[in-house]
Amino acid sequence: MIIIEKICHNITVVALQGTLDSCSSSQLHYYSSPSVTEVPLVIDLSNLDFLDSSGLGALVEIARKKREKGSDVKLACMNDKVRKVFEITQAYRLFDIYDDVEAAAVNAGNKKNSL
Amino acid sequence: MKTLVVIREKDYEWLYPVFPGVHPLLVPVCNKPYAEFLIDFAILAGSNAIRFVSDGQLGGLEHYCENGSRWGIEISYASMLGDEDLETVIDKNRRYCSADRILCISGFVFIRYNKQHDYKKLIASLSPGEFISCSHGSLSLLGNTGNIDNSAEKPELSLVGLDSTGVYYRLSVEILKCGSSPYVLPGYSSEADCHIGRNVVMSKSTEIRKPVIIGNNVQLLAGSVVGPDSVIGSNVIIDRESTIIGSIVLDNTYIGENLDLENRIAAGNILIEPESGASLAMEDPHLLTGIKKRGGGGTVFQTFVHLFVAVLLITIMLVPFALLFPILRLQGKWHESSNTYYTSSSGKTLTLTTVAIDRSGPLSALALALSLDRFALLFRVLGGQLAIIGSQPVAATPGSRMVLERMTGYRAGVFSYAEAEEWPVNGGDTAIVELFYAAHGTPLQDVVMTFKAFFNRIHE
């Protein structure tokens, strides 16, 4: 999996490319580490080709840790393959899901400012 | 233009127990899934794309609508959180909503429209904001104003909040009465108020009274009456002499013979009174309950119980038999014949002497009432060759051996479960009743059924 990091409206946007499974999910551990949990995060899933339960678990873990610290993670641009995994597992109930990275970043920024 | 349909699960979750197994957004309204009415209206309003947004599962809807190519539009799906307001939902779908104009349908509402009117002009003439609403939802417009023409004609348009079976029922009847004029309804319609789907088999004596809508693969058997004001779904069988008046029969439902259904909703084995919402689950104990496995200890106890009942019946019947048998024999009314029968499903055979008593005369009637023709068979129970109650013995022939192999739990009995239940002994349903009790019966139930069969013969 390739992780591309960029800044949009002062919010870190992480674009995932390729496969997010048990092998690659460890690559996301950095985003749930104590040093970055207080910063809101937007994860761009538009180029994610495959997501399994381990990958989903990694996303939930990031969201859980961030929420513990009063921050949040927003998901953006979910493609059909990824959306089906969220649909089957009903994981869409756990995340704020946007169809646009910029909108997600703006909302994450607003929340950051309100804290 | 694009359409955004926002429906919260709390608005439609009442439908889950009412119509189990059907996605609430696909609940048929006059044999057409609810979502299709929304799609039709969106197309009439000039949309080329529709997005369904819900906090509930949309898998069933997506499986049905797919990408919308069937309607020539693009359909997409998105999730939301249950407590989000419309503004947040629109923000979360900002990319989709970046089109010039967005028609937003919010809530679990039915849109009353008329396909003969021009809704494109109406939408073009309206300024952004909510333009029609009811207590359960609204229609609103987003995006730029374009050329607002306040003088444009206002075609028929209203909303109905779908919040109970009563509203659903009244809406279905209303659409049925309107016919195909305002809405596109499924099925062939060579005359007004009557839509009939594909592969509908009707008996010559079936009566159809308009207005009526019948789905695909429906069988209307002899003497059945359908309508007026009735909706029959797909894959439905209306059995003989049944009457459906002012009722909705949903897909995959069987209406048994000689039933009168008036102002009700039938969905599978659930019968609903629309106004109160009261429902009744009809369960056929012979066909719909799962087969229980009997424990090994039960068989020994059952054999003991059968022996006990046989001894009891021999005691009761001994004196009448000793008195009546010689007389009937001398009168030539007592006929005996021997034949070989299967005693169990494993294929064991036994030669039994069966008795036929002429029905003429009071003594014959008394002998039959006391089941004296079965007296000799009771001793076979003592020998463990027959059950006191079980299946009617099947004659040992090569053809019946094949039948026997399919009859799991078959055990020949002096009396049969069908006699106890007063089913016609040679009817096709007899085997179902007998096999049901063979699989589900308990020793104590066997005692009850034996005496039931015994007393039924007295009444005959």
Side-chain angles (χ1 to χ4, degrees):
Chain A
M1 182 177 67
I2 301 166
I3 299 177
I4 300 166
E5 231 184 81
K6 58 187 175 185
I7 301 293
C8 181
H9 295 277
N10 291 328
I11 297 294
T12 309
V13 177
V14 174
L16 308 182
Q17 283 185 18
T19 300
L20 179 54
D21 56 11
S22 55
C23 300
S24 54
S25 59
S26 57
Q27 288 177 256
L28 286 178
H29 281 174
Y30 165 74
Y31 297 100
S32 58
S33 64
S35 58
V36 294
T37 46
E38 286 175 22
V39 186
L41 183 71
V42 172
I43 301 178
D44 178 0
L45 302 169
S46 55
N47 292 315
L48 193 67
D49 299 326
F50 179 80
L51 175 74
D52 75 353
S53 57
S54 305
L56 188 61
L59 294 176
V60 173
E61 181 68 6
I62 295 169
R64 191 178 65 80
K65 290 204 169 161
K66 285 199 176 289
R67 282 168 196 167
E68 275 173 11
K69 294 284 179 186
S71 183
D72 204 2
V73 62
K74 315 265 184 202
L75 304 183
C77 302
M78 208 178 264
N79 60 45
D80 278 353
K81 289 175 201 163
V82 175
R83 198 176 49 75
K84 272 184 184 153
V85 177
F86 275 73
E87 171 75 27
I88 291 163
T89 58
Q90 298 193 32
Y92 58 81
R93 295 180 195 270
L94 305 173
F95 295 94
D96 276 329
I97 302 165
Y98 291 78
D99 73 344
D100 183 58
V101 173
E102 209 174 305
V106 168
N107 273 278
N110 291 343
K111 189 167 182 182
K112 184 183 170 187
N113 295 334
S114 68
L115 286 172
Chain B
M1 197 182 78
K2 290 179 179 178
T3 298
L4 189 71
V5 181
V6 182
I7 305 179
R8 286 169 182 81
E9 193 176 27
K10 68 175 170 57
D11 294 335
Y12 61 69
E13 64 188 0
W14 64 272
L15 276 164
Y16 284 119
V18 180
F19 304 125
V22 182
H23 191 286
L25 302 184
L26 295 175
V27 159
V29 181
C30 282
N31 282 352
K32 178 167 170 156
Y34 162 75
E36 275 199 56
F37 284 97
L38 297 181
I39 294 169
D40 282 358
F41 178 72
I43 293 168
L44 281 172
S47 291
N48 52 20
I50 300 174
R51 173 168 288 182
F52 286 96
V53 186
S54 177
D55 54 333
Q57 287 197 297
L58 289 171
L61 181 70
E62 189 174 355
H63 186 256
Y64 180 79
C65 297
E66 295 177 331
N67 61 0
S69 57
R70 204 187 322 166
W71 294 276
I73 53 164
E74 190 186 309
I75 296 182
S76 57
Y77 310 86
S79 304
M80 59 183 271
L81 299 177
D83 54 355
E84 282 172 349
D85 57 15
L86 192 57
E87 202 179 318
T88 312
V89 174
I90 290 163
D91 195 31
K92 282 188 168 182
N93 292 277
R94 191 187 287 183
R95 183 176 289 181
Y96 177 81
C97 297
S98 61
D100 285 349
R101 297 211 100 185
I102 298 289
L103 169 65
C104 184
I105 303 170
S106 173
F108 191 46
V109 291
F110 182 86
I111 305 168
R112 283 198 192 101
Y113 61 88
N114 189 331
K115 69 182 183 198
Q116 289 164 358
H117 294 158
D118 189 350
Y119 289 94
K120 283 182 195 170
K121 271 188 187 169
L122 171 76
I123 299 293
S125 71
L126 295 169
S127 51
E130 194 176 277
F131 63 94
I132 185 163
S133 68
C134 71
S135 57
H136 293 82
S138 64
L139 299 188
S140 50
L141 279 169
L142 312 168
N144 65 15
T145 50
N147 301 319
I148 295 169
D149 177 11
N150 289 324
S151 63
E153 193 188 339
K154 298 270 187 280
E156 177 190 330
L157 196 64
S158 63
L159 298 180
V160 184
L162 290 168
D163 61 351
S164 66
T165 46
V167 174
Y168 168 79
Y169 174 79
R170 287 194 294 274
L171 182 69
S172 297
V173 173
E174 179 193 310
I175 295 170
L176 190 64
K177 284 181 176 165
C178 294
S180 54
S181 169
Y183 306 102
V184 179
L185 294 176
Y188 299 101
S189 177
S190 56
E191 51 188 297
D193 306 336
C194 185
H195 295 256
I196 296 181
R198 285 171 285 134
N199 192 26
V200 175
V201 180
M202 289 179 215
S203 164
K204 276 193 287 187
S205 52
T206 293
E207 197 179 322
I208 292 178
R209 299 171 185 162
K210 296 189 288 182
V212 74
I213 293 184
I214 299 173
N216 300 325
N217 311 316
V218 174
Q219 286 188 49
L220 306 174
L221 301 184
S224 55
V225 178
V226 176
D229 302 333
S230 292
V231 179
I232 310 293
S234 293
N235 309 315
V236 168
I237 299 173
I238 309 292
D239 214 333
R240 288 175 297 168
E241 308 294 338
S242 287
T243 307
I244 313 292
I245 297 170
S247 297
I248 300 169
V249 180
L250 269 81
D251 295 356
N252 312 314
T253 300
Y254 166 70
I255 302 294
E257 57 185 284
N258 285 307
L259 290 178
D260 289 346
L261 211 64
E262 196 166 346
N263 302 329
R264 294 286 182 275
I265 301 171
N269 68 330
I270 298 172
L271 192 64
I272 302 159
E273 202 286 300
E275 292 308 327
S276 67
S279 64
L280 173 73
M282 292 173 288
E283 195 168 285
D284 184 332
H286 300 134
L287 295 175
L288 296 178
T289 50
I291 290 175
K292 297 170 201 157
K293 229 177 185 175
R294 184 181 290 165
T299 316
V300 177
F301 181 56
Q302 190 182 40
T303 310
F304 175 76
V305 168
H306 281 216
L307 279 173
F308 175 76
V309 176
V311 170
L312 190 69
L313 286 177
I314 288 169
T315 313
I316 294 167
M317 291 157 76
L318 188 62
V319 175
F321 181 80
L323 291 172
L324 293 176
F325 166 66
I327 300 168
L328 291 171
R329 184 113 197 202
L330 282 171
Q331 287 179 337
K333 291 178 179 174
W334 188 277
H335 306 286
E336 289 181 353
S337 61
S338 286
N339 205 349
T340 306
Y341 295 93
Y342 288 114
T343 57
S344 68
S345 54
S346 62
K348 275 186 193 168
T349 56
L350 179 70
T351 302
L352 294 175
T353 302
T354 52
V355 174
I357 301 172
D358 285 348
R359 287 186 172 271
S360 56
L363 291 179
S364 303
L366 183 63
L368 280 167
L370 292 171
S371 298
L372 296 185
D373 52 333
R374 308 280 170 93
F375 184 73
L377 298 178
L378 291 170
F379 292 93
R380 299 286 190 164
V381 181
L382 300 182
Q385 295 152 321
L386 285 180
I388 188 74
I389 190 156
S391 302
Q392 194 189 1
V394 174
T397 60
S400 60
R401 182 79 185 93
M402 286 164 67
V403 174
L404 197 70
E405 280 168 6
R406 293 198 295 268
M407 293 170 70
T408 318
Y410 165 83
R411 194 176 173 206
V414 176
F415 297 98
S416 75
Y417 291 117
E419 283 176 317
E421 285 273 52
E422 290 187 279
W423 283 82
V425 173
N426 295 317
D429 299 333
T430 303
I432 295 170
V433 177
E434 289 179 347
L435 292 177
F436 170 81
Y437 283 108
H440 292 260
T442 60
L444 291 176
Q445 197 177 27
D446 281 358
V447 176
V448 174
M449 296 295 275
T450 305
F451 283 100
K452 221 173 150 189
F454 184 75
F455 287 113
N456 282 346
R457 298 197 86 212
I458 293 174
H459 288 302
E460 279 175 17

